[in-house]
Short mmCIF file of all heavy atoms in Angstrom, two decimals:
data_model
loop_
_atom_site.label_atom_id
_atom_site.label_comp_id
_atom_site.label_asym_id
_atom_site.label_seq_id
_atom_site.Cartn_x
_atom_site.Cartn_y
_atom_site.Cartn_z
N LYS A 553 -13.57 3.96 -26.68
CA LYS A 553 -13.38 4.84 -27.85
C LYS A 553 -12.76 6.19 -27.50
O LYS A 553 -12.14 6.83 -28.32
CB LYS A 553 -14.74 5.07 -28.53
CG LYS A 553 -15.34 3.81 -29.14
CD LYS A 553 -14.52 3.30 -30.33
CE LYS A 553 -15.25 2.21 -31.08
NZ LYS A 553 -15.33 0.95 -30.34
N GLY A 554 -12.96 6.64 -26.29
CA GLY A 554 -12.45 7.96 -25.91
C GLY A 554 -12.28 8.03 -24.41
O GLY A 554 -12.50 7.05 -23.70
N PRO A 555 -11.88 9.18 -23.87
CA PRO A 555 -11.67 9.31 -22.42
C PRO A 555 -12.93 8.99 -21.62
O PRO A 555 -14.05 9.34 -22.03
CB PRO A 555 -11.27 10.78 -22.26
CG PRO A 555 -10.80 11.21 -23.61
CD PRO A 555 -11.61 10.44 -24.59
N VAL A 556 -12.73 8.33 -20.47
CA VAL A 556 -13.85 7.98 -19.58
C VAL A 556 -13.47 8.35 -18.15
O VAL A 556 -12.29 8.55 -17.85
CB VAL A 556 -14.18 6.47 -19.66
CG1 VAL A 556 -14.66 6.07 -21.05
CG2 VAL A 556 -12.98 5.62 -19.23
N PRO A 557 -14.45 8.44 -17.24
CA PRO A 557 -14.12 8.62 -15.83
C PRO A 557 -13.18 7.51 -15.37
O PRO A 557 -13.43 6.32 -15.62
CB PRO A 557 -15.48 8.53 -15.13
CG PRO A 557 -16.46 8.98 -16.17
CD PRO A 557 -15.91 8.45 -17.47
N THR A 558 -12.09 7.89 -14.72
CA THR A 558 -11.03 6.94 -14.38
C THR A 558 -10.62 7.12 -12.93
O THR A 558 -10.32 8.24 -12.50
CB THR A 558 -9.81 7.14 -15.30
OG1 THR A 558 -10.20 6.87 -16.65
CG2 THR A 558 -8.66 6.24 -14.91
N LEU A 559 -10.62 6.03 -12.18
CA LEU A 559 -10.18 6.05 -10.78
C LEU A 559 -8.72 5.60 -10.74
O LEU A 559 -8.39 4.48 -11.15
CB LEU A 559 -11.05 5.13 -9.94
CG LEU A 559 -10.58 4.88 -8.49
CD1 LEU A 559 -10.44 6.19 -7.72
CD2 LEU A 559 -11.55 3.94 -7.77
N LEU A 560 -7.85 6.47 -10.23
CA LEU A 560 -6.43 6.18 -10.08
C LEU A 560 -6.13 5.98 -8.60
O LEU A 560 -6.38 6.87 -7.79
CB LEU A 560 -5.60 7.34 -10.65
CG LEU A 560 -4.09 7.37 -10.34
CD1 LEU A 560 -3.39 6.12 -10.83
CD2 LEU A 560 -3.46 8.63 -10.94
N TYR A 561 -5.60 4.80 -8.27
CA TYR A 561 -5.35 4.44 -6.87
C TYR A 561 -3.85 4.26 -6.64
O TYR A 561 -3.14 3.72 -7.48
CB TYR A 561 -6.07 3.13 -6.53
CG TYR A 561 -6.03 2.77 -5.06
CD1 TYR A 561 -6.97 3.29 -4.17
CD2 TYR A 561 -5.04 1.93 -4.55
CE1 TYR A 561 -6.94 2.97 -2.83
CE2 TYR A 561 -5.00 1.61 -3.21
CZ TYR A 561 -5.94 2.14 -2.35
OH TYR A 561 -5.89 1.83 -1.02
N GLY A 562 -3.37 4.73 -5.48
CA GLY A 562 -1.96 4.59 -5.16
C GLY A 562 -1.72 4.50 -3.67
O GLY A 562 -2.59 4.80 -2.84
N TYR A 563 -0.50 4.07 -3.30
CA TYR A 563 -0.09 3.99 -1.89
C TYR A 563 1.35 4.49 -1.73
O TYR A 563 1.59 5.55 -1.22
CB TYR A 563 -0.25 2.56 -1.36
CG TYR A 563 0.04 2.47 0.12
CD1 TYR A 563 -0.92 2.90 1.06
CD2 TYR A 563 1.25 1.99 0.59
CE1 TYR A 563 -0.65 2.85 2.42
CE2 TYR A 563 1.52 1.94 1.95
CZ TYR A 563 0.58 2.37 2.85
OH TYR A 563 0.84 2.33 4.20
N GLY A 564 2.33 3.70 -2.12
CA GLY A 564 3.71 4.17 -2.18
C GLY A 564 4.39 4.42 -0.86
O GLY A 564 4.96 5.49 -0.65
N GLY A 565 4.39 3.43 0.03
CA GLY A 565 5.08 3.60 1.31
C GLY A 565 5.28 2.29 2.04
O GLY A 565 4.66 1.27 1.74
N PHE A 566 6.21 2.31 3.01
CA PHE A 566 6.39 1.23 3.99
C PHE A 566 6.67 -0.14 3.36
O PHE A 566 6.37 -1.17 3.96
CB PHE A 566 5.17 1.15 4.92
CG PHE A 566 5.01 2.36 5.79
CD1 PHE A 566 4.20 3.42 5.39
CD2 PHE A 566 5.68 2.47 7.00
CE1 PHE A 566 4.05 4.56 6.18
CE2 PHE A 566 5.54 3.59 7.80
CZ PHE A 566 4.73 4.64 7.39
N GLU A 567 7.20 -0.16 2.15
CA GLU A 567 7.50 -1.43 1.45
C GLU A 567 6.24 -2.23 1.14
O GLU A 567 6.30 -3.43 0.87
CB GLU A 567 8.45 -2.32 2.27
CG GLU A 567 9.89 -1.92 2.21
CD GLU A 567 10.82 -2.91 2.87
OE1 GLU A 567 10.42 -3.60 3.82
OE2 GLU A 567 11.97 -2.99 2.43
N VAL A 568 5.06 -1.59 1.16
CA VAL A 568 3.80 -2.30 0.89
C VAL A 568 3.54 -2.29 -0.62
O VAL A 568 3.44 -1.22 -1.22
CB VAL A 568 2.63 -1.64 1.64
CG1 VAL A 568 1.31 -2.29 1.26
CG2 VAL A 568 2.85 -1.72 3.14
N PRO A 569 3.40 -3.47 -1.24
CA PRO A 569 3.12 -3.50 -2.68
C PRO A 569 1.63 -3.41 -2.97
O PRO A 569 0.81 -3.89 -2.19
CB PRO A 569 3.67 -4.87 -3.10
CG PRO A 569 3.45 -5.73 -1.89
CD PRO A 569 3.63 -4.82 -0.70
N LEU A 570 1.28 -2.80 -4.08
CA LEU A 570 -0.09 -2.87 -4.60
C LEU A 570 -0.11 -3.92 -5.70
O LEU A 570 0.60 -3.79 -6.69
CB LEU A 570 -0.54 -1.51 -5.16
CG LEU A 570 -0.82 -0.40 -4.15
CD1 LEU A 570 -1.38 0.83 -4.87
CD2 LEU A 570 -1.79 -0.85 -3.07
N LEU A 571 -0.93 -4.95 -5.52
CA LEU A 571 -0.94 -6.10 -6.42
C LEU A 571 -2.28 -6.21 -7.13
O LEU A 571 -3.30 -5.72 -6.63
CB LEU A 571 -0.65 -7.38 -5.62
CG LEU A 571 0.65 -7.36 -4.82
CD1 LEU A 571 0.75 -8.61 -3.96
CD2 LEU A 571 1.85 -7.24 -5.73
N PRO A 572 -2.32 -6.88 -8.27
CA PRO A 572 -3.61 -7.09 -8.94
C PRO A 572 -4.56 -7.87 -8.05
O PRO A 572 -4.15 -8.81 -7.36
CB PRO A 572 -3.22 -7.91 -10.18
CG PRO A 572 -1.77 -7.64 -10.40
CD PRO A 572 -1.19 -7.44 -9.03
N GLY A 573 -5.82 -7.48 -8.04
CA GLY A 573 -6.81 -8.18 -7.21
C GLY A 573 -8.22 -7.94 -7.72
O GLY A 573 -8.53 -6.87 -8.26
N TYR A 574 -9.04 -8.95 -7.54
CA TYR A 574 -10.44 -8.90 -7.98
C TYR A 574 -11.26 -8.19 -6.91
O TYR A 574 -11.18 -8.53 -5.73
CB TYR A 574 -10.95 -10.31 -8.18
CG TYR A 574 -12.32 -10.42 -8.81
CD1 TYR A 574 -12.47 -10.39 -10.19
CD2 TYR A 574 -13.46 -10.59 -8.03
CE1 TYR A 574 -13.72 -10.53 -10.79
CE2 TYR A 574 -14.71 -10.73 -8.61
CZ TYR A 574 -14.83 -10.69 -9.99
OH TYR A 574 -16.07 -10.83 -10.58
N ALA A 575 -12.04 -7.21 -7.29
CA ALA A 575 -12.87 -6.47 -6.35
C ALA A 575 -14.28 -6.37 -6.93
O ALA A 575 -14.52 -5.59 -7.86
CB ALA A 575 -12.30 -5.07 -6.09
N GLY A 576 -15.18 -7.18 -6.41
CA GLY A 576 -16.54 -7.22 -6.94
C GLY A 576 -17.26 -5.89 -6.84
O GLY A 576 -17.98 -5.49 -7.76
N VAL A 577 -17.06 -5.19 -5.72
CA VAL A 577 -17.74 -3.90 -5.53
C VAL A 577 -17.25 -2.89 -6.57
O VAL A 577 -18.05 -2.19 -7.20
CB VAL A 577 -17.52 -3.37 -4.10
CG1 VAL A 577 -18.11 -1.97 -3.95
CG2 VAL A 577 -18.14 -4.32 -3.08
N ARG A 578 -15.95 -2.84 -6.79
CA ARG A 578 -15.40 -1.93 -7.80
C ARG A 578 -15.92 -2.30 -9.19
O ARG A 578 -16.26 -1.43 -10.00
CB ARG A 578 -13.88 -1.99 -7.78
CG ARG A 578 -13.20 -1.03 -8.76
CD ARG A 578 -11.71 -1.03 -8.57
NE ARG A 578 -11.10 -2.31 -8.89
CZ ARG A 578 -10.16 -2.90 -8.16
NH1 ARG A 578 -9.72 -2.33 -7.06
NH2 ARG A 578 -9.65 -4.06 -8.52
N GLY A 579 -16.01 -3.59 -9.46
CA GLY A 579 -16.51 -4.03 -10.76
C GLY A 579 -17.94 -3.60 -11.01
O GLY A 579 -18.29 -3.09 -12.08
N ARG A 580 -18.79 -3.78 -9.98
CA ARG A 580 -20.21 -3.46 -10.14
C ARG A 580 -20.48 -1.96 -10.12
O ARG A 580 -21.28 -1.45 -10.91
CB ARG A 580 -21.01 -4.14 -9.02
CG ARG A 580 -21.14 -5.63 -9.20
CD ARG A 580 -22.22 -6.03 -10.22
NE ARG A 580 -23.55 -5.70 -9.71
CZ ARG A 580 -24.20 -6.45 -8.83
NH1 ARG A 580 -23.64 -7.56 -8.35
NH2 ARG A 580 -25.41 -6.11 -8.42
N LEU A 581 -19.84 -1.25 -9.20
CA LEU A 581 -20.17 0.17 -9.01
C LEU A 581 -19.33 1.10 -9.88
O LEU A 581 -19.64 2.29 -9.97
CB LEU A 581 -20.01 0.56 -7.54
CG LEU A 581 -20.91 -0.18 -6.54
CD1 LEU A 581 -20.74 0.41 -5.15
CD2 LEU A 581 -22.38 -0.13 -6.97
N TRP A 582 -18.31 0.57 -10.54
CA TRP A 582 -17.44 1.46 -11.32
C TRP A 582 -17.19 0.92 -12.74
O TRP A 582 -17.53 1.57 -13.72
CB TRP A 582 -16.12 1.66 -10.58
CG TRP A 582 -15.26 2.73 -11.16
CD1 TRP A 582 -14.06 2.58 -11.80
CD2 TRP A 582 -15.53 4.14 -11.17
NE1 TRP A 582 -13.57 3.80 -12.20
CE2 TRP A 582 -14.45 4.78 -11.82
CE3 TRP A 582 -16.58 4.92 -10.68
CZ2 TRP A 582 -14.39 6.16 -12.01
CZ3 TRP A 582 -16.52 6.30 -10.86
CH2 TRP A 582 -15.45 6.90 -11.52
N LEU A 583 -16.63 -0.27 -12.84
CA LEU A 583 -16.23 -0.77 -14.16
C LEU A 583 -17.43 -1.08 -15.05
O LEU A 583 -17.39 -0.82 -16.26
CB LEU A 583 -15.36 -2.02 -14.00
CG LEU A 583 -14.01 -1.79 -13.31
CD1 LEU A 583 -13.32 -3.13 -13.05
CD2 LEU A 583 -13.11 -0.89 -14.15
N GLU A 584 -18.51 -1.62 -14.48
CA GLU A 584 -19.68 -1.96 -15.29
C GLU A 584 -20.37 -0.72 -15.87
O GLU A 584 -21.14 -0.82 -16.81
CB GLU A 584 -20.69 -2.79 -14.48
CG GLU A 584 -20.35 -4.27 -14.44
CD GLU A 584 -21.51 -5.11 -13.93
OE1 GLU A 584 -22.50 -4.54 -13.42
OE2 GLU A 584 -21.42 -6.35 -14.05
N LYS A 585 -20.05 0.44 -15.30
CA LYS A 585 -20.63 1.69 -15.81
C LYS A 585 -19.80 2.26 -16.97
O LYS A 585 -20.05 3.37 -17.43
CB LYS A 585 -20.73 2.71 -14.68
CG LYS A 585 -21.76 2.37 -13.61
CD LYS A 585 -21.76 3.40 -12.50
CE LYS A 585 -22.99 3.30 -11.60
NZ LYS A 585 -23.16 2.01 -10.96
N GLY A 586 -18.81 1.50 -17.42
CA GLY A 586 -17.97 1.96 -18.53
C GLY A 586 -16.76 2.76 -18.09
O GLY A 586 -16.03 3.30 -18.93
N ASN A 587 -16.52 2.85 -16.78
CA ASN A 587 -15.39 3.61 -16.26
C ASN A 587 -14.12 2.76 -16.27
O ASN A 587 -14.16 1.54 -16.44
CB ASN A 587 -15.69 4.08 -14.84
CG ASN A 587 -16.97 4.91 -14.75
OD1 ASN A 587 -17.24 5.71 -15.65
ND2 ASN A 587 -17.74 4.71 -13.70
N ALA A 588 -12.99 3.41 -16.03
CA ALA A 588 -11.69 2.72 -15.99
C ALA A 588 -11.10 2.79 -14.59
O ALA A 588 -11.41 3.69 -13.80
CB ALA A 588 -10.73 3.35 -17.00
N TYR A 589 -10.23 1.82 -14.30
CA TYR A 589 -9.52 1.77 -13.02
C TYR A 589 -8.02 1.66 -13.30
O TYR A 589 -7.59 0.85 -14.13
CB TYR A 589 -9.98 0.58 -12.18
CG TYR A 589 -9.19 0.39 -10.91
CD1 TYR A 589 -9.35 1.26 -9.84
CD2 TYR A 589 -8.27 -0.65 -10.79
CE1 TYR A 589 -8.62 1.10 -8.67
CE2 TYR A 589 -7.53 -0.82 -9.63
CZ TYR A 589 -7.71 0.05 -8.57
OH TYR A 589 -6.99 -0.11 -7.42
N VAL A 590 -7.23 2.47 -12.59
CA VAL A 590 -5.77 2.46 -12.76
C VAL A 590 -5.13 2.27 -11.38
O VAL A 590 -5.52 2.91 -10.41
CB VAL A 590 -5.28 3.79 -13.38
CG1 VAL A 590 -3.75 3.81 -13.45
CG2 VAL A 590 -5.88 3.99 -14.76
N GLN A 591 -4.14 1.38 -11.32
CA GLN A 591 -3.42 1.11 -10.08
C GLN A 591 -1.93 1.36 -10.31
O GLN A 591 -1.32 0.72 -11.15
CB GLN A 591 -3.66 -0.34 -9.64
CG GLN A 591 -3.16 -0.66 -8.24
CD GLN A 591 -3.77 -1.95 -7.73
OE1 GLN A 591 -4.96 -2.00 -7.41
NE2 GLN A 591 -2.98 -3.00 -7.66
N ALA A 592 -1.38 2.32 -9.57
CA ALA A 592 -0.01 2.77 -9.81
C ALA A 592 0.96 2.10 -8.84
O ALA A 592 0.72 2.09 -7.63
CB ALA A 592 0.07 4.29 -9.65
N CYS A 593 2.06 1.55 -9.37
CA CYS A 593 3.07 0.88 -8.55
C CYS A 593 4.24 1.83 -8.32
O CYS A 593 5.35 1.63 -8.82
CB CYS A 593 3.54 -0.40 -9.24
SG CYS A 593 2.21 -1.56 -9.62
N ILE A 594 4.00 2.89 -7.56
CA ILE A 594 4.97 3.96 -7.40
C ILE A 594 6.05 3.60 -6.38
O ILE A 594 5.87 2.69 -5.56
CB ILE A 594 4.28 5.28 -7.02
CG1 ILE A 594 3.61 5.16 -5.65
CG2 ILE A 594 3.28 5.70 -8.08
CD1 ILE A 594 2.97 6.44 -5.15
N ARG A 595 7.15 4.33 -6.43
CA ARG A 595 8.24 4.10 -5.47
C ARG A 595 7.77 4.42 -4.04
O ARG A 595 6.87 5.22 -3.83
CB ARG A 595 9.45 4.93 -5.86
CG ARG A 595 10.20 4.35 -7.05
CD ARG A 595 11.32 5.25 -7.53
NE ARG A 595 10.81 6.45 -8.19
CZ ARG A 595 11.59 7.39 -8.73
NH1 ARG A 595 12.90 7.28 -8.64
NH2 ARG A 595 11.05 8.44 -9.33
N GLY A 596 8.43 3.78 -3.10
CA GLY A 596 8.00 3.83 -1.71
C GLY A 596 7.29 2.55 -1.32
O GLY A 596 7.29 2.14 -0.16
#
């Protein structure tokens, strides 16, 4: 409904891609608490 605590993750180097992936720890300790997760596919 409104803004929530949000974790933004990035890398952006060495031709390494950040891809979608299931992370149980992140789900339990972050997402289940109503928080959001953002993964940025930046240049580099």
Side-chain angles (χ1 to χ4, degrees):
K553 295 293 190 289
V556 296
T558 297
L559 171 57
L560 168 58
Y561 188 85
Y563 185 77
F566 294 93
E567 282 187 330
V568 175
L570 288 186
L571 304 174
Y574 188 85
V577 174
R578 182 174 65 223
R580 287 281 292 280
L581 298 186
W582 190 248
L583 295 173
E584 278 194 349
K585 291 177 166 59
N587 304 321
Y589 174 73
V590 176
Q591 190 163 289
C593 304
I594 64 176
R595 285 174 288 181

